[in-house]
Each structure stands twice: as C-alpha cells, then as structure tokens.
Amino acid sequence: MGSKKEGGPKTRAQSTATLPPFNDDQLVLSVIAAMKEPDVVEHLKEAARSVKEEIADLVVSKLSVVIDKLQQSLAEKDTIIAKLEQRVSDAEKKLDDIEQYSRRTSVRITGIREQSHDNPNEEVKKLFQHLGVSPHVNRVHRVGPIRNDGTSRPILCQFTNYPDRALILSKRSILKNDFPNVYVNEDLTRARSKILYQARCKKRANKIKDCWSADGRICIKDKDNKIHNVTQASELNRW
C-alpha cells in the first residue's frame, strides 16, 4: 500500500490552529494605525462632510416647516388681535358716547377766581344774572382737587333740563366784555376734551381755520371753510 500524500486540504480545526493569535489590543492598534493612513483619513473626511451636509439639509428642512407653521400661527394671531383691538375701540367709543350723553345738561365754567371761602353757587348766580337768565340749576361745584399753584379750578354747573343748558351756551358771547377771562363751555369727556385741545393747537399753528364743540361733537373748519366732525385724535393728522 502506498503512503498518504502530504499537503492535502486541512480541516477547519487545523487551519484555525495555524493562525497567529489576535487579541483586542492588537485590533485597537491596527485600527489606529489604519486611521493614520492618508487615504483612510481622506475617506473619513469625505464621509464626515457628506454626513454633515445631510444633517444640515435635514435640519434646514425641518426648520423651514417649523418656521412656516410659526408664521402662519402669527398671522392668525395678528388677525385675532386686530379684531380684538377693533372691538375694544368700538366699545370705548360707545362708552364715551354714553358718558357724553350723561353730560348733556352740564357746562364747565373756567376763569372764576377761587376764594378762600369759596361759594361757587353765588358766583355762578351772579354770572347768570349778568346774562339775564334764570336757569333751573341742579348742582354747582368745583372740579378736581385744590391746586397749589394759585390757579382756580373750573366749576361744573348741571341744569335740570337741556333747554336751560342750550340757553346759557347761546348767550355766553355776552361775557366777553365784562368777564373777558371767564369761559362757559360744554362739559366734554376726557377723550373729547383732549381732541378739542389738540384741535386748538392746530388752530394756533394756523393749520385750520377754527374748531369748537357742538352737543358733544368736535367740529373742525379747514382752510377751505369745510366743516368736519372729528371723533378720534388720529383724524387730526390730516391737517
């Protein structure tokens, strides 16, 4: 019988047994050594750049969606705010109309000197006697806290009916000669008083021809002699 040939195929056990030992430390060192290779480093850089670009594109895409939603939400809120502001403005105007209506029987008198023992009832009575009228007065009193600057507070005079108030206002021009510093005006709300004051500033600046109040309405006469009713201070910006 012939002898067995050497160098034939080895079994799995024989092949593994012939490989050199390869532990974890050697693996780590091999990886570190490979990463120092220029080609490997360049590939890693390209991979990193590619990953960064993909991440950036993803982030930008997500942010664009979020920004679009936020802009839409802001636009909807702006619309709601505008509607609420309009409702508040309308409510304020209605309240101002109601308050002005409650003052329809009152006038404010300025320029009557305030005495240490002040008696506005007697002062107002003398004024009406000079005008030759005897209106039915409900109440008379000074308005606001006592002033420390020596100026006199205005007097609020409330009549029992509207015709008496209208009569006093129609005769107030008589006071110009004998009471040049005394003025009788409508009892306006704070908002309307502010508008009339600003209108008078326009008149002094020669931007309008005249301004006045009539039954609580603020009237403006422009340079073309056209009369306008002003309900908001912003409307004065046209002059």
Side-chain angles (χ1 to χ4, degrees):
M1 294 179 63
S3 62
K4 293 181 180 180
K5 294 183 180 180
E6 296 180 357
K10 299 179 180 180
T11 65
R12 180 180 179 87
Q14 290 175 333
S15 176
T16 302
T18 59
L19 289 174
F22 201 77
N23 56 34
D24 293 341
D25 292 340
Q26 289 176 323
L27 176 62
V28 171
L29 293 174
S30 298
V31 171
I32 292 173
M35 291 181 68
K36 293 181 180 179
E37 294 292 330
D39 292 342
V40 175
V41 172
E42 187 61 31
H43 285 306
L44 288 174
K45 287 182 179 180
E46 290 180 1
R49 284 194 293 268
S50 177
V51 171
K52 286 180 180 179
E53 291 176 357
E54 291 180 2
I55 293 174
D57 291 342
L58 180 62
V59 170
V60 170
S61 177
K62 294 292 184 181
L63 285 176
S64 297
V65 174
V66 172
I67 291 172
D68 289 342
K69 289 182 179 180
L70 287 174
Q71 288 177 339
Q72 182 179 356
S73 176
L74 287 174
E76 292 173 354
K77 289 180 179 179
D78 287 343
T79 301
I80 294 173
I81 290 172
K83 290 181 179 179
L84 290 175
E85 288 178 342
Q86 185 60 49
R87 290 178 63 182
V88 170
S89 178
D90 293 341
E92 289 177 343
K93 187 177 182 305
K94 288 180 180 179
L95 287 174
D96 188 68
D97 290 340
I98 293 171
E99 182 182 351
Q100 186 60 53
Y101 184 77
S102 71
R103 300 177 183 224
R104 70 191 184 283
T105 58
S106 302
V107 296
R108 288 201 179 215
I109 305 170
T110 57
I112 295 180
R113 186 178 178 183
E114 189 170 358
Q115 308 291 336
S116 57
H117 299 285
D118 197 44
N119 189 343
N121 282 284
E122 288 299 321
E123 297 296 332
V124 170
K125 187 180 294 185
K126 291 177 184 178
L127 196 67
F128 293 160
Q129 287 175 352
H130 182 79
L131 294 176
V133 294
S134 300
H136 297 85
V137 177
N138 184 29
R139 59 183 304 204
V140 177
H141 63 88
R142 295 277 181 181
V143 180
I146 297 176
R147 300 174 179 176
N148 298 322
D149 57 0
T151 58
S152 300
R153 293 174 295 168
I155 295 175
L156 180 65
C157 179
Q158 184 184 57
F159 305 99
T160 58
N161 57 72
Y162 178 83
D164 280 347
R165 170 194 179 264
L167 178 63
I168 295 299
L169 291 174
S170 67
K171 290 181 173 292
R172 58 183 168 174
S173 60
I174 300 174
L175 300 173
K176 290 182 179 179
N177 293 329
D178 296 331
F179 298 89
N181 297 320
V182 176
Y183 300 93
V184 180
N185 295 300
E186 291 186 329
D187 182 25
L188 299 175
T189 63
R190 180 173 298 182
R192 299 184 192 212
S193 294
K194 183 178 179 180
I195 295 173
L196 185 57
Y197 170 77
Q198 294 176 346
R200 286 170 177 161
C201 291
K202 295 280 186 180
K203 180 181 178 181
R204 286 193 290 269
N206 200 31
K207 293 183 178 180
I208 60 175
K209 187 168 286 187
D210 201 3
C211 60
W212 64 92
S213 67
D215 285 332
R217 295 177 290 106
I218 309 303
C219 303
I220 302 292
K221 180 184 285 187
D222 61 21
K223 291 297 191 67
D224 297 325
N225 291 321
K226 293 182 179 179
I227 297 176
H228 309 266
N229 290 328
V230 177
T231 59
Q232 295 181 353
S234 59
E235 296 176 18
L236 294 173
N237 294 333
R238 61 188 295 188
W239 293 288

